[in-house]
Amino acid sequence: MANSEFKSPVYNVIAVPFEKIVPNTYNPNSVAPPEMKLLYDSIKEDGYTMPIVCYYSPKKDLYAIVDGFHRWHVMKDYPDIYEREHGMMPVAVIDKPLTNRMASTIRHNRARGSHNVDLMSNIVKELHELGRSDAWIAKHLGMDKDEILRLKQISGLAALFKDVNFGQAWKPIEDVLHENENQETEKDSEL
């Protein structure tokens, strides 16, 4: 039987001054620079849509991050976000001993999952069909042009490549042999 008194922490999100929030010392998660830039873009465009999760230490009057270090880091690194948010972060508080907080951090990290390549290629295809340019897709989805090209290749639609200029780095061997023969014939006629 479920505990009828339990209430998920997300129902009690509070605004906490940035200066009272500290990172934990055990988070093994890292985010590459392109994804950090995308996180910044997301927070800039949409605001903070999820609270960070913290443990409150009354003794130190500080909030230790359990989940949300990178969202916290965006506010730390970008003064425009700090100013817009008036130096406050949305926090959901959990009250657990350190070992349980460590486990919570890992669960949060691992539960995020990863993007399915086929689904991502379908999204790129659909955005393309809706008239979005590769530049728009790159900016708003945090992708580079090569990643967009690979996702288009996966979807296999020729229409996605109509505006792509392909290089001449590769030629069939028959074309190369034919070009060499023509060059030799031109040299012979010059003698």
Side-chain angles (χ1 to χ4, degrees):
M1 182 172 198
N3 181 348
S4 60
E5 294 179 29
F6 179 78
K7 191 171 184 181
S8 293
V10 75
Y11 293 109
N12 296 312
V13 174
I14 58 173
V16 173
F18 177 81
E19 292 75 17
K20 286 188 168 247
I21 303 170
V22 295
N24 66 48
T25 59
Y26 52 82
N27 188 356
N29 193 22
S30 64
V31 174
E35 282 75 21
M36 278 302 294
K37 172 70 169 80
L38 184 59
L39 180 59
Y40 164 73
D41 291 342
S42 174
I43 291 170
K44 184 175 175 87
E45 290 290 323
D46 302 325
Y48 281 95
T49 58
M50 298 176 8
I52 66 171
V53 179
C54 293
Y55 165 78
Y56 177 66
S57 169
K59 182 178 177 182
K60 295 180 181 180
D61 191 28
L62 292 174
Y63 293 80
I65 299 171
V66 174
D67 180 63
F69 171 77
H70 297 98
R71 283 171 273 151
W72 171 85
H73 217 280
V74 166
M75 186 176 283
K76 178 178 183 263
D77 289 348
Y78 295 93
D80 60 325
I81 301 297
Y82 182 94
E83 290 168 17
R84 185 192 68 198
E85 301 293 326
H86 305 287
M88 304 295 277
M89 291 210 70
V91 172
V93 177
I94 61 172
D95 186 17
K96 295 183 174 192
L98 179 60
T99 55
N100 291 51
R101 294 194 309 265
M102 292 172 91
S104 291
T105 296
I106 303 307
R107 281 194 302 270
H108 278 88
N109 289 345
R110 295 191 70 192
R112 285 192 225 299
S114 60
H115 286 230
N116 177 294
V117 173
D118 290 331
L119 294 176
M120 286 301 296
S121 68
N122 287 337
I123 289 169
V124 168
K125 173 182 172 269
E126 191 168 331
L127 288 170
H128 179 80
E129 289 171 350
L130 291 170
R132 294 299 184 185
S133 67
D134 286 359
W136 188 95
I137 293 169
K139 178 182 178 189
H140 292 278
L141 273 60
M143 297 178 177
D144 62 35
K145 65 180 184 173
D146 291 333
E147 185 177 7
I148 294 168
L149 181 60
R150 284 191 302 274
L151 290 171
K152 285 180 172 183
Q153 289 169 334
I154 290 168
S155 68
L157 290 181
L160 296 177
F161 296 97
K162 70 178 176 141
D163 298 323
V164 176
N165 292 325
F166 293 98
Q168 297 297 314
W170 179 86
K171 293 182 180 179
I173 190 68
E174 295 82 17
D175 290 352
V176 173
L177 293 174
H178 184 66
E179 285 176 9
N180 289 343
E181 288 172 0
N182 288 342
Q183 288 172 355
E184 289 174 11
T185 304
E186 287 173 14
K187 285 181 187 176
D188 289 343
S189 66
E190 290 174 4
L191 298 174

